[in-house]
Amino acid sequence: MRILVIGSGGREHALVWKLKQSPRVSEVFVAPGNGGTAREGAINVAVDAGDLDGLVELARKEKIDLVVPGPELPLTGGITDRMREAGIPCFGPDAYCARLEGSKAFAKDVMNRAGVPTARSQVFTDPDKAKNAVVKLGAPLVVKADGLAAGKGVVVARTTQEALDAVDDIMCKRAHGAAGAKLVIEEFLVGEEASFLCLCDGKTAVPLPSAQDHKAAYDGDQGPNTGGMGAYSPAPILPYDQAEAMADMVIRPILAALARDGHPFVGVLYAGLMMTGNGPKVLEYNTRFGDPECQPLLMRLEGDLVQIMLDCIEGRLRPESLSHTSQTALGVVVAAEGYPHAYPKGMVIEGLDEADALPGVKVFHSGTSMDGDKILSSGGRVLCVTALGDTLADAQARAYEGVKAIRMDKSFHRSDIGQKGIRRLEQLAQEEK
């Protein structure tokens, strides 16, 4: 089979790495790909992930048998619909279902119709009415741009003035462009977050192990929010023996609601959860693998990912086709100094072979390019050094050994990825005694 992966980050490198393990695969193309996908033996093609016409043309030209979109942009733009029209199987939801991620107001509507627990919220198209609501409700509040804003359209406002400023930035100053034409204001939830992903074929949902990612740039959950500085699986806050009950609560009702709308959901449905004192509540849905959650999850996944994806597309997904190692996986993001704000590019990266040679370690490239035999940095999140271990502490230690083996000027990483989970495991062990 000839496969096209869409995207250029660490998630897409992980997908290429896993897909190439299938005996069914003869060639993998990546649009546009990165230095890691090229080192993996895939063929990078200079077509942007948002260029739907170019992607369809590429798939036709290369006689692609399966398209695998990584990021949200092509999915919300309708790449699955376009590929379906061209007669090419595509692993991902149609544009209607992808609105679960593309519109927070739409997601709230579907959640309310489906009876899924979530934060109380209000939707606004008028900034004055939104500001009046802020004053009436009082802080803390969460203010969200309705549309896609590259992960930057959510403000956790601790004071009323912060919430008013957020409304002004999003709706009046249009800090995130058209994404701010509509606004969602919701209650602030307290608890620990977890990522819960299921593979779906339109009617069946099969859970993957839980994961937890870390957004703040620096140790101790300090600093600006990022696209994700690391992740691990499983998250002790959501053990796998609770996965079926969680799918019944937050995934399968959504599938049923979308099916009633005439749009069965196919692909990965990702619920971002807050585990509150009043039970789990959904913060948001994504309609694809997360990044960096994808990297540790695919390190743990066993079986033929190509066959699993085809089963989803063809409506015949079987729970027994998915299995995973009992080991823990943990990924640490190596970022360029200054990220998520201005950062340098073009830094030479060395030590990749040494890191990959460490037991249980795999380096996934998030923002790199190739210049001859050299690998250069090209993004803010540059690498995700991921490791398997028998325990979370073991996986953490192996991943950080991999980080130490890599040499790159002006880089940084969080050194406490996994500590929250390790503390929770220690707490659980004490409670058992």
Side-chain angles (χ1 to χ4, degrees):
M1 292 181 64
R2 296 162 69 82
I3 296 179
L4 170 62
V5 174
I6 301 171
S8 61
R11 164 185 48 219
E12 287 73 44
H13 183 183
L15 286 166
V16 168
W17 170 77
K18 192 65 179 179
L19 291 165
K20 284 184 69 69
Q21 295 173 17
S22 170
R24 305 186 60 170
V25 174
S26 57
E27 200 81 77
V28 177
F29 297 80
V30 195
N34 61 33
T37 57
R39 278 168 58 100
E40 215 63 56
I43 300 170
N44 289 349
V45 185
V47 177
D48 188 78
D51 180 2
L52 302 194
D53 290 338
L55 292 168
V56 173
E57 181 182 349
L58 172 62
R60 282 175 166 154
K61 176 185 173 185
E62 296 297 343
K63 297 181 173 55
I64 296 299
D65 300 299
L66 173 64
V67 176
V68 182
E72 63 273 21
L73 182 60
L75 289 168
T76 56
I79 190 61
T80 298
D81 307 78
R82 293 289 302 277
M83 290 295 175
R84 185 184 296 149
E85 291 167 5
I88 302 168
C90 185
F91 177 75
D94 64 15
Y96 182 89
C97 292
R99 289 178 66 201
L100 281 174
E101 180 165 3
S103 168
K104 294 175 181 64
F106 176 81
K108 284 289 185 180
D109 175 65
V110 177
M111 280 188 264
N112 291 332
R113 286 194 282 128
V116 169
T118 186
R120 295 188 303 271
S121 64
Q122 297 180 43
V123 179
F124 298 91
T125 55
D126 182 317
D128 290 332
K129 290 182 179 179
K131 290 178 182 179
N132 289 338
V134 165
V135 173
K136 182 178 180 180
L137 293 168
L141 292 169
V142 181
V143 182
K144 299 180 176 181
D146 175 64
L148 294 176
K152 300 175 183 176
V154 177
V155 176
V156 178
R158 304 285 179 175
T159 68
T160 299
Q161 189 57 52
E162 285 179 359
L164 291 171
D165 290 343
V167 173
D168 196 50
D169 287 342
I170 293 170
M171 296 199 81
C172 300
K173 298 178 182 177
R174 291 298 175 92
H176 309 293
K182 191 181 289 185
L183 191 77
V184 177
I185 296 176
E186 64 181 36
E187 68 173 320
F188 174 76
L189 298 177
V190 177
E192 186 173 339
E193 292 188 41
S195 301
F196 180 62
L197 289 74
C198 287
L199 292 167
C200 307
D201 71 355
K203 55 186 184 297
T204 301
V206 180
L208 292 171
S210 63
Q212 188 175 83
D213 76 326
H214 296 265
K215 298 291 189 187
Y218 311 128
D219 287 351
D221 286 329
Q222 300 298 305
N225 266 2
T226 69
M229 289 300 296
Y232 57 89
S233 173
I237 191 73
L238 181 55
Y240 194 67
D241 61 8
Q242 297 176 17
E244 281 296 319
M246 189 62 68
D248 283 341
M249 181 185 297
V250 304
I251 298 293
R252 292 177 181 126
I254 298 295
L255 294 193
L258 293 172
R260 286 193 296 269
D261 291 348
H263 293 271
F265 186 100
V266 173
V268 177
L269 186 52
Y270 169 151
L273 303 173
M274 182 68 80
M275 311 299 280
T276 77
N278 296 318
K281 294 191 178 183
V282 175
L283 296 172
E284 64 179 1
Y285 284 106
N286 293 332
T287 58
R288 35 74 190 182
F289 282 107
D291 188 350
E293 296 97 327
C294 182
Q295 291 88 307
L297 283 172
L298 290 190
M299 286 279 282
R300 296 189 67 204
L301 184 67
E302 296 174 335
D304 189 330
L305 184 57
V306 173
Q307 187 59 57
I308 292 168
M309 288 180 170
L310 290 174
D311 288 347
C312 288
I313 293 169
E314 294 165 8
R316 49 183 174 83
L317 180 64
R318 295 170 295 110
E320 58 269 24
S321 65
L322 266 73
S323 60
H324 58 271
T325 176
S326 60
Q327 288 184 299
T328 293
L330 182 144
V332 180
V333 168
V334 178
E337 188 178 283
Y339 172 78
H341 305 301
Y343 53 83
K345 296 181 182 180
M347 295 180 288
V348 176
I349 306 167
E350 299 178 313
L352 292 168
D353 290 337
E354 292 94 319
D356 271 328
L358 293 170
V361 174
K362 176 65 183 178
V363 181
F364 295 111
H365 294 223
S366 304
T368 69
S369 61
M370 290 192 75
D371 182 10
D373 292 335
K374 294 181 180 178
I375 294 288
L376 307 178
S377 69
S378 63
R381 292 190 296 173
V382 182
L383 305 167
C384 183
V385 183
T386 309
L388 282 171
D390 291 335
T391 65
L392 179 53
D394 184 28
Q396 182 193 58
R398 290 185 180 198
Y400 283 113
E401 282 301 310
V403 170
K404 291 177 191 175
I406 291 166
R407 299 177 296 281
M408 182 177 71
D409 290 339
K410 298 180 179 178
S411 67
F412 77 99
H413 66 275
R414 279 184 59 172
S415 60
D416 67 350
I417 302 297
Q419 284 304 119
K420 189 181 293 184
I422 290 171
R423 288 194 297 270
R424 178 164 288 279
L425 288 170
E426 291 171 346
Q427 176 188 347
L428 291 171
Q430 286 295 326
E431 289 174 358
E432 286 180 5
K433 290 180 181 179

